[in-house]
Amino acid sequence: STVSNFDFAPNLFPLSSSAAPGYTPIGAPTTAAHQNGGMGGASLEKHKTLTYMNGLGLIIGLIIGSGIFSSPSQVNSNVGSPGASLIVWVIAGVLAWTGAASYAELGGAIPLNGGPQAYLSKILGEMAGFLFTWVAVLVLKPGSAAIIAIIMGEYLVRAFIGVEAETINPWVGKSVALVGLVLLTFMNALSTRLGTRTNDMLMFLKFIALIGVTIVGVIVAITGLSYSGPANVEWKTHGWFEGTSKDGAEWAVAIYAGLWAFDGWDNTNYVVGEFRNPGRDLPRVIHTAMPLVIICYVLANMAYFFVLPAATINSTNTVAVNFGQTVFGPIGALIFALIVSASCFGALNSQTFTSSRLVYAAGKEGYLPTVFARIGLRSTEPGLSSTRTRSWLSKRLHTMLGDEEAGLFFTPVNALLLNAFLTIMYIVVGEFGELLTFYGVAGYTFYFLTVLGLIILRVKEPNLERPYKTWITTPIIFCCVSLFLLSRAVFAQPLKTLVVVAFVLVGIPVYFWRIHGRDQVTKREVGGGEAAPSWKFWKRWTN
Ligand code: ARG
């Protein structure tokens, strides 16, 4: 049956597992390769901890980051009217939703950690999966984490130095970003539970913030009261569609800005292997998260329009802070600056959690050195520490963090470290705008390919067990729109696109080097035979 297929993590050596001489508490096969920290010595997927709530926390936690508090200016200034802006927010949200629904089908059918890495490998060939991993591990994940961290630092600094202060040395913000990142990396290394619980909590904070913005906006609209004298009445006196742009290019730019705010909808797919019940929960997570986020974003934008004149919205990158300032004065600005930085902190936490699983999956497949697939601090099996005698403090900690069975540091520590290291590099040397363009083009190329893969898989393997099946129109819409957006970017910025292409191409020789190395090791360890990464094994197992 399908369920039992995934009670165990698919590992590289399915046959050796039954013949394994030593039995370890986690149930992992013990070949030398495994002991060396590789495929499945200790495996995250065998210790499934994630629930529906955690999934929601991970996806909403990353989606609601900085965007809704800062991109409205880019949306509004491009399409020219509040009504058109709201339409753009809905379009961007629905587009993200079609992407997420497609990923839900893939995640249910191929429930492995690493997300697109596994889907692309299976559908388009291992090189596609490798190239995705290459770009995602080296650029997309740490790059976007750096962006969020920098925004977090800037807002926090503004909260304390003063919202109006113009000249703040960027290094002050960057230092705060680095401290936040190190803290989150440590928390996620300490315990899976700690990471996910923080997420769950921050998710509620974000909702409360957005609902709060909405309520305040409505109250201001009704009473006409605000800190800075009589409230904005533009929304009453001007038509909501007055001044709407008729230029397609401007709409495209606006949609891009909206898409950043909705980005992160693929986040749960990286950790599907750790879900207790992925086939049921992944689609549920996505179909709860996406409509909720879309509604919250549209409401928050309406509230901005109630409180602030369009000219103000268009000219600020910190619309939420202006909102707080206008309604409540300096205290309001301070509170909103704090909320936005907390929201970014949460997004960074979600991202840290899932990126480390992508790196971990890459280590398992042999795309990266296997040390990155190691679980825990020690090179040997960390074991289930609950049977060990523990100090009082350590017992308290275990109870508190809820990782009773697996113990502290039952996390992909090395993967977390690599991810943190790369993110630090981007924070230190990264140029914001460059990062964002690269992210958009490279990110959407792989979204497009992955969703296209869904369609291909439907044709190639119509009888594959799919716990969740989306309407076929969903991936088609996503593919068409993302292809359109991509082509616009290519024509608008041919040079930057070339950089992306070049970077992907450099991955090809690396692929042959890594895969050759992996296959050599496999031959030595198990005496010949073809190396089987988990997606291949998965196929053999299900057929
Ligand atoms: N939606 C997030 C925000 O508004 C950005 C997510 C970035 N994407 C990612 N995969 N890290 O800040």
Side-chain angles (χ1 to χ4, degrees):
S1 78
T2 345
V3 176
S4 64
N5 288 345
F6 305 111
D7 287 346
F8 297 96
N11 69 62
L12 231 68
F13 305 102
L15 297 177
S16 64
S17 73
S18 52
Y23 177 74
T24 64
I26 298 172
T30 50
T31 66
H34 297 142
Q35 294 294 358
N36 293 339
M39 312 73 175
S43 175
L44 287 175
E45 294 93 334
K46 278 171 194 148
H47 189 69
K48 296 183 187 297
T49 56
L50 299 183
T51 60
Y52 168 71
M53 263 326 266
N54 298 147
L56 268 188
L58 282 171
I59 192 165
I60 293 177
L62 182 55
I63 293 180
I64 306 180
S66 59
I68 184 60
F69 305 108
S70 46
S71 332
S73 75
Q74 289 154 46
V75 175
N76 196 49
S77 60
N78 276 294
V79 291
S81 75
S85 292
L86 295 179
I87 291 177
V88 167
W89 283 98
V90 174
I91 293 176
V94 170
L95 183 65
W97 194 355
T98 56
S102 308
Y103 270 49
E105 173 173 328
L106 287 167
I110 309 174
L112 300 173
N113 264 9
Q117 173 189 300
Y119 318 147
L120 288 171
S121 291
K122 178 175 161 52
I123 302 165
L124 300 180
E126 188 160 23
M127 194 197 280
F130 179 88
L131 290 178
F132 165 77
T133 310
W134 165 253
V135 177
V137 168
L138 288 183
V139 189
L140 293 181
K141 295 296 155 187
S144 57
I147 296 174
I148 301 171
I150 291 173
I151 297 177
M152 174 187 81
E154 270 173 13
Y155 271 94
L156 202 61
V157 170
R158 279 188 181 272
F160 290 106
I161 297 189
V163 184
E164 250 93 88
E166 279 303 323
T167 50
I168 303 170
N169 186 335
W171 282 102
V172 181
K174 284 192 174 188
S175 313
V176 177
L178 291 174
V179 172
L181 180 75
V182 170
L183 178 68
L184 283 175
T185 304
F186 177 74
M187 281 165 52
N188 278 283
L190 189 63
S191 135
T192 297
R193 270 306 154 82
L194 188 59
T196 53
R197 282 202 182 164
T198 312
N199 259 328
D200 297 350
M201 262 161 40
L202 286 170
M203 174 179 71
F204 285 113
L205 177 106
K206 289 169 198 225
F207 275 128
I208 291 170
L210 287 178
I211 292 167
V213 165
T214 309
I215 293 175
V216 170
V218 171
I219 292 177
V220 170
I222 293 172
T223 62
L225 294 175
S226 76
Y227 173 86
S228 44
N232 165 46
V233 288
E234 219 180 80
W235 60 276
K236 280 190 214 161
T237 53
H238 286 58
W240 280 65
F241 286 94
E242 214 174 292
T244 302
S245 162
K246 291 187 184 62
D247 181 352
E250 285 183 328
W251 279 74
V253 177
I255 293 176
Y256 256 128
L259 283 178
W260 168 259
F262 283 106
D263 199 60
W265 47 261
D266 60 334
N267 207 32
T268 12
N269 281 73
Y270 292 97
V271 295
V272 170
E274 281 167 79
F275 264 85
R276 294 206 183 126
N277 191 344
R280 185 195 67 189
D281 286 343
L282 183 64
R284 272 176 43 183
V285 163
I286 281 168
H287 291 307
T288 322
M290 299 313 296
L292 269 179
V293 172
I294 296 175
I295 292 171
C296 282
Y297 278 15
V298 169
L299 290 178
N301 271 291
M302 288 183 60
Y304 294 150
F305 286 118
F306 285 150
V307 170
L308 301 168
T312 312
I313 296 182
N314 290 349
S315 65
T316 177
N317 272 326
T318 55
V319 70
V321 175
N322 290 60
F323 180 91
Q325 167 81 36
T326 309
V327 182
F328 301 111
I331 297 284
L334 172 81
I335 291 176
F336 273 94
L338 285 178
I339 288 177
V340 178
S341 55
S343 174
C344 293
F345 185 79
L348 199 56
N349 185 37
S350 302
Q351 165 102 341
T352 304
F353 186 87
T354 50
S355 301
S356 66
R357 269 57 180 181
L358 174 66
V359 174
Y360 159 83
K364 270 192 140 181
E365 305 303 338
Y367 300 166
L368 287 174
T370 47
V371 290
F372 293 113
R374 183 177 296 159
I375 301 302
L377 297 173
R378 280 158 295 172
S379 56
T380 50
E381 181 68 69
L384 300 179
S385 53
S386 59
T387 48
R388 262 194 285 133
T389 347
R390 287 205 224 103
S391 69
W392 176 84
L393 181 69
S394 138
K395 268 187 202 141
R396 291 287 310 152
L397 266 178
H398 275 76
T399 322
M400 223 169 69
L401 301 176
D403 287 352
E404 189 50 41
E405 280 168 84
L408 297 181
F409 291 107
F410 191 87
T411 52
V413 177
N414 293 346
L416 279 158
L417 289 178
L418 176 68
N419 185 55
F421 171 76
L422 290 169
T423 309
I424 289 171
M425 300 284 286
Y426 282 106
I427 293 177
V428 172
V429 303
E431 207 276 305
F432 194 83
E434 303 290 318
L435 278 178
L436 211 59
T437 322
F438 192 99
Y439 184 82
V441 175
Y444 264 82
T445 305
F446 284 105
Y447 286 151
F448 169 75
L449 284 177
T450 309
V451 175
L452 189 69
L454 179 155
I455 302 174
I456 297 174
L457 193 65
R458 285 267 186 113
V459 177
K460 270 204 332 203
E461 292 185 36
N463 300 325
L464 179 74
E465 169 97 35
R466 291 175 174 84
Y468 166 76
K469 231 176 162 174
T470 176
W471 296 320
I472 191 68
T473 42
T474 309
I476 293 176
I477 293 175
F478 184 85
C479 282
C480 293
V481 180
S482 54
L483 200 60
F484 164 75
L485 288 172
L486 270 173
S487 62
R488 288 217 60 93
V490 172
F491 292 123
Q493 295 175 313
L495 221 66
K496 282 184 180 159
T497 318
L498 267 181
V499 175
V500 176
V501 173
F503 188 82
V504 174
L505 290 182
V506 172
I508 294 178
V510 184
Y511 166 75
F512 287 110
W513 167 59
R514 288 304 310 167
I515 294 311
H516 180 75
R518 178 187 75 190
D519 294 356
Q520 290 300 314
V521 170
T522 317
K523 285 203 184 102
R524 229 181 307 133
E525 299 288 349
V526 295
E530 147 207 49
S534 46
W535 56 273
K536 267 194 188 168
F537 165 63
W538 168 85
K539 187 172 177 195
R540 210 180 308 153
W541 187 264
T542 44
N543 288 349

